[in-house]
Amino acid sequence: MVSAYSRWAILLIAGAAPSLTQTIDWAGFFRQALSSDRKVQDAAREKALGQTIPNLCHENASLAAAEIPGLLTQFEQGDDSTRIQASAVLFVMSRFRPDGSVVLAAAVPALIRHATDSVEQIRQNCVSALSELKPEVPSAALPTFVAISDAPDSPITAGALLGLARMAAGSATAEGAIGNALTQNASYERKILAIRAVTGANVKSVRLLRCL
């Protein structure tokens, strides 16, 4: 569920967007980061880790949001190596930005679509990004999380359960899905992941806490 603050912030960014332009050449960014020339690759990754990524995680929300359309182009249209890198950038922004659900709002539909991507690392990055968006996990991700929580265990199960745990206070569906993972005939590993999700999300639900 999106709070009044988040709705206001989204409108603010949307209103400011026309005056802001993308400053990062994402095609060049990933081409250099994935270059077969080790010197080019090392220089690109040093810049990414020392400047580009920290700026995306901490700079003004409107400035960071202006970079998302170009990043999404590479995420949707690049080769698998580029798409892995692009999804990783989205995940890192989600983890470290306290306003990620606002700044990355335009990326949410793509993250949901690629939660079932054919490339495992992209699936992991997308589910983790969705589950860690702050201040709120987007409600549009709920069906995806539920579907993953009902499927056999996989590398994306933990991310989906975390997303459900963070949504449990405002969604009976999310609470029920976490409850199922804790109490029904789930694997031992899934129950452990569900317990970690509930404790990690600081869930207050009496029903869920009784299942621990």
Side-chain angles (χ1 to χ4, degrees):
M1 184 176 295
V2 179
S3 67
Y5 166 78
S6 294
R7 286 194 294 270
W8 173 84
I10 290 170
L11 289 172
L12 178 63
I13 290 176
S19 63
L20 298 174
T21 58
Q22 176 183 324
T23 62
I24 299 173
D25 172 13
W26 286 110
F29 177 90
F30 292 120
R31 184 171 57 253
Q32 293 177 11
L34 296 167
S35 173
S36 58
D37 185 321
R38 187 58 183 268
K39 290 184 178 179
V40 172
Q41 182 183 111
D42 287 347
R45 295 191 175 188
E46 182 177 351
K47 181 179 179 180
L49 294 175
Q51 178 182 336
T52 306
I53 302 303
N55 286 348
L56 287 171
C57 291
H58 301 294
E59 70 184 353
N60 174 275
S62 295
L63 294 175
E67 303 293 351
I68 300 304
L71 177 57
L72 287 176
T73 296
Q74 298 304 309
F75 180 39
E76 297 276 24
Q77 300 178 9
D79 57 24
D80 284 352
S81 295
T82 298
R83 295 193 310 116
I84 289 171
Q85 295 294 317
S87 65
V89 172
L90 292 168
F91 165 54
V92 171
M93 291 180 69
S94 172
R95 168 163 286 186
F96 290 105
R97 287 204 70 100
D99 54 0
S101 56
V102 176
V103 171
L104 294 169
V108 168
L111 290 170
I112 291 173
R113 281 197 307 277
H114 291 284
T116 56
D117 197 278
S118 59
V119 180
E120 180 178 292
Q121 188 60 57
I122 293 175
R123 294 197 300 273
Q124 287 185 255
N125 289 340
C126 289
V127 173
S128 295
L130 289 166
S131 69
E132 296 198 28
L133 284 169
K134 295 171 281 294
E136 298 152 339
V137 178
S139 59
L142 179 58
T144 298
F145 290 153
V146 171
I148 294 170
S149 74
D150 286 340
D153 290 348
S154 75
I156 61 176
T157 302
L161 291 173
L162 175 61
L164 289 169
R166 292 188 59 214
M167 301 176 82
S171 168
T173 300
E175 183 183 40
I178 282 287
N180 290 342
L182 288 168
T183 61
Q184 293 191 354
N185 296 323
S187 67
Y188 173 79
E189 291 77 11
R190 179 169 306 199
K191 290 181 180 179
I192 294 299
L193 292 176
I195 291 171
R196 288 176 179 170
V198 168
T199 56
N202 197 25
V203 171
K204 299 292 195 301
S205 167
V206 174
R207 174 194 171 193
L208 293 180
L209 293 177
R210 285 175 176 169
C211 296
L212 298 180

